[in-house]
Amino acid sequence: MKMRANIAGASGYAGGELLRLLADHPEFEVGVSAASSNAGELITHLHPALQRYAGVRFVAHDDPALGECDILFTALPHGASADLVNTHPSIAKVVDLGADFRLTSPTAWQEYYGGEHAGTWVYGLPEMLGARALIKESSRIANPGCYATAIALGVAPLLTSGLVESEGIVVVAASGTSGAGRAAKVNLLGSEVMGSMTAYKVGGTHQHTPEIEQTLSYISGKPVTLTFTPFLAPMSRGILAAITLKMTGKHDVAVLRKAFTDMYSKDEFVHMVDVQPATASVYGSNNVHIAVESHPRVGHAVVTVALDNLVKGAAGQAIQNANIMYGFAENSGLTGQGIAP
């Protein structure tokens, strides 16, 4: 018998991606899917691609059935997950795709999100050193943010091997519009986005900044600082990050690349590629594509990373964490490759 997986926030993009991926999962099956304003509507009205759920309706978040499961995935706006989880304390395991439990610092939470800090759960980025053991023993997982996943995976090997400085990291990254959620916003209208790119939340104000610095500081044992400039790109999915780091010496590209292959040699979803990563190549998959170059004249390493913000950046990573928590094969339900073009 399969494990019962319920979803809160199933009407959004990340929630819809959970429904898509879990539909073919060999160990989990979806029980109930909850939504707020869309409670009572057919799932296929909002997610017409998901005909596996034809005739099934969203329930409300206060439906007691939401708590009747082996694992609950919460894909809610920040501040909402903590309240929901507290009303269902008996649920065996929870993976939160929101930000509520990612940060260890109440001060950082207050500065970047506002309101009361709900606490800190185990951070679910499996490819970080020692993370799998912590995830496996935990019943509550904070799923990383999409930008945070791309940047941490792109920086960690160089940082932990001592090949780059820990301070002054510069990141420029572009995200598709689905990263901003499904709510109607003027700046996300097709007429505003098509044929244009724009930066947003510049100058260290993006909410993933403290999460990234916290993660990299923890694994390196040194304070990490970065300048992060995100861009909104005219595409529905994907993240492409370009990361510039000051090298500790004039390392050639072979040395830099070896740090990545050493760290990720047993990780199925992280791939070093010989061409520059493209978001189209990881579309719909849990894969991460990374390339690294050495720029010895100015002493920089340059890392580029591509992933699908709704899969490895959200729902796919949440399922990867759930697989580890239950001792299933880590790639269960996540074997699909990219579907480009």
Side-chain angles (χ1 to χ4, degrees):
M1 181 177 294
K2 291 186 177 183
M3 295 288 184
R4 182 180 175 91
N6 289 349
I7 303 170
S11 59
Y13 290 135
E17 198 70 358
L18 281 166
L19 287 166
R20 180 179 76 86
L21 294 170
L22 288 170
D24 294 315
H25 198 287
E27 309 289 353
F28 293 118
E29 64 179 358
V30 175
V32 298
S33 303
S36 294
S37 60
N38 300 109
E41 289 188 45
L42 289 167
I43 290 175
T44 50
H45 280 180
L46 287 183
H47 303 300
L50 304 181
Q51 291 300 311
R52 184 76 63 83
Y53 301 96
V56 181
R57 298 181 183 273
F58 295 111
V59 303
H61 281 126
D62 60 0
D63 191 315
L66 189 62
E68 298 170 359
C69 60
D70 297 293
I71 189 164
L72 175 67
F73 295 96
T74 55
L76 299 167
H78 71 264
S81 296
D83 289 341
L84 180 66
V85 171
N86 288 337
T87 64
H88 299 287
S90 63
I91 296 175
K93 299 181 188 296
V94 181
V95 179
D96 179 30
L97 280 70
D100 288 20
F101 301 100
R102 293 173 186 162
L103 299 184
T104 59
S105 168
T107 302
W109 174 267
Q110 180 65 43
E111 178 181 354
Y112 283 87
Y113 292 96
E116 185 178 354
H117 182 232
T120 307
W121 290 356
V122 168
Y123 192 68
L125 187 51
E127 291 81 8
M128 294 297 98
L129 296 174
R132 284 183 175 87
L134 295 174
I135 294 167
K136 184 173 179 58
E137 296 302 318
S138 180
S139 64
R140 300 290 186 269
I141 297 296
N143 213 55
C146 50
Y147 277 127
T149 297
I151 295 165
L153 291 173
V155 172
L158 300 181
L159 199 56
T160 56
S161 61
L163 296 173
V164 297
E165 301 289 349
S166 63
E167 299 192 8
I169 299 169
V170 177
V171 181
V172 176
S175 172
T177 56
S178 60
R182 194 165 194 165
K185 301 172 185 177
V186 171
N187 67 308
L188 299 179
L189 294 173
S191 297
E192 302 289 333
V193 175
M194 289 186 299
S196 179
M197 283 186 68
T198 182
Y200 66 101
K201 294 184 179 180
V202 301
T205 61
H206 193 279
Q207 66 272 17
H208 286 183
T209 301
E211 178 186 347
I212 300 163
E213 292 181 341
Q214 170 185 291
T215 302
L216 294 175
S217 296
Y218 175 76
I219 65 168
S220 68
K222 301 176 183 179
V224 171
T225 59
L226 74 155
T227 298
F228 174 35
T229 304
F231 282 78
L232 181 66
M235 58 187 184
S236 61
R237 292 175 180 245
I239 283 180
L240 183 66
I243 308 164
T244 304
L245 310 102
K246 183 70 174 177
M247 293 191 294
T248 55
K250 292 190 175 182
H251 310 301
D252 64 29
V253 69
V255 172
L256 302 180
R257 189 180 180 94
K258 185 175 185 300
F260 284 90
T261 56
D262 286 350
M263 183 166 180
Y264 298 135
S265 61
K266 297 181 180 179
D267 292 310
E268 178 174 351
F269 299 117
V270 181
H271 305 273
M272 295 300 295
V273 294
D274 296 324
V275 296
Q276 279 300 308
T279 58
S281 299
V282 294
Y283 190 98
S285 79
N286 203 51
N287 293 328
V288 182
H289 287 184
I290 301 177
V292 61
E293 296 293 341
S294 176
H295 190 2
R297 183 176 64 83
V298 291
H300 286 158
V302 181
V303 183
T304 45
V305 184
L307 57 76
D308 187 323
N309 60 293
L310 292 180
V311 189
K312 182 58 174 171
Q317 183 144 265
I319 293 170
Q320 186 181 351
N321 280 314
N323 288 338
I324 296 170
M325 293 167 82
Y326 271 104
F328 302 146
E330 196 167 321
N331 66 355
S332 292
L334 299 172
T335 57
Q337 299 298 291
I339 57 174

